[in-house]
Amino acid sequence: DRRDDPRGARGVRLKGDRRPEEVVIVVRRPGESGIEYLVLLRSPEKLGYWHLVAGGVDWDEEPAAAGARGLEEEKGLVTVPQPLGGSLAYDLAGDPEPVRARFPPGRERSTVWPFVADAPMGWDPELDEEHVAAQWAEQDAAIALLRYPEPREAIRRAASS
């Protein structure tokens, strides 16, 4: 039954020990023609769309710590992500029923904390079971790949920071 699937909306894992909040991290690096932004293709089991580094926030951690943990555990980048302004949010009503069904009953919105992390020139992420491909792109191309508005806004904020 898809309702028993522990994955949250948009592929973010939700468990009883996670707050109903997420982090999204814009990873950028210097490229030959300017700043490049990392975009990751989620696996088919994670709905198969382009996204940024993202993850849940544990009850005993701050969003910035969750971002740093996710970068190191999932992508092999050890750095301190910097906040990109205030939180973002999305309504679950706009997601398809199989996605909404993964959330606890009564949950209507999800809070997203955006961060930026700088990677060194030439750095590439480690891929895992959640992500099947990675692409570095300039701002407009990266935004065009992203499915949801919150990661697009995070890239815009990172580009102006």
Side-chain angles (χ1 to χ4, degrees):
D1 183 340
R2 303 280 287 174
R3 291 184 184 271
D4 295 330
D5 188 335
R7 294 176 298 156
R10 304 177 189 216
V12 174
R13 190 171 282 284
L14 290 174
K15 300 178 189 175
D17 64 347
R18 288 263 168 108
R19 294 187 336 208
E21 299 178 41
E22 307 164 19
V23 294
V24 62
I25 304 104
V26 177
V27 179
R28 63 186 178 191
R29 71 176 187 188
E32 291 184 17
S33 60
I35 299 296
E36 300 174 327
Y37 298 89
L38 176 64
V39 186
L40 301 164
L41 181 59
R42 298 184 69 80
S43 68
E45 296 80 20
K46 295 284 187 172
L47 306 179
Y49 59 89
W50 291 97
H51 198 41
L52 303 177
V53 176
V57 180
D58 289 336
W59 285 105
D60 62 346
E61 70 184 342
E62 292 298 315
R69 175 179 49 81
L71 283 170
E72 182 175 1
E73 290 176 359
E74 295 182 22
K75 300 295 150 236
L77 180 62
V78 179
T79 189
V80 177
Q82 299 302 308
L84 286 172
S87 66
L88 303 168
Y90 61 90
D91 290 321
L92 294 174
D95 282 334
E97 176 57 31
V99 171
R100 290 192 314 270
R102 296 180 187 135
F103 279 103
R107 184 163 175 208
E108 297 176 8
R109 290 185 62 77
S110 186
T111 300
V112 180
W113 297 99
F115 292 89
V116 62
D118 291 309
M121 181 180 267
W123 178 84
D124 281 311
E126 300 169 2
L127 295 178
D128 56 19
E129 69 279 352
E130 291 185 35
H131 303 104
V132 296
Q135 180 173 330
W136 291 97
E138 293 181 4
Q139 179 185 349
D140 291 341
I143 288 171
L145 285 171
L146 295 168
R147 178 174 181 176
Y148 293 106
E150 298 80 19
R152 290 186 212 128
E153 174 60 19
I155 287 183
R156 286 185 195 99
R157 290 182 185 185
S160 64
S161 70

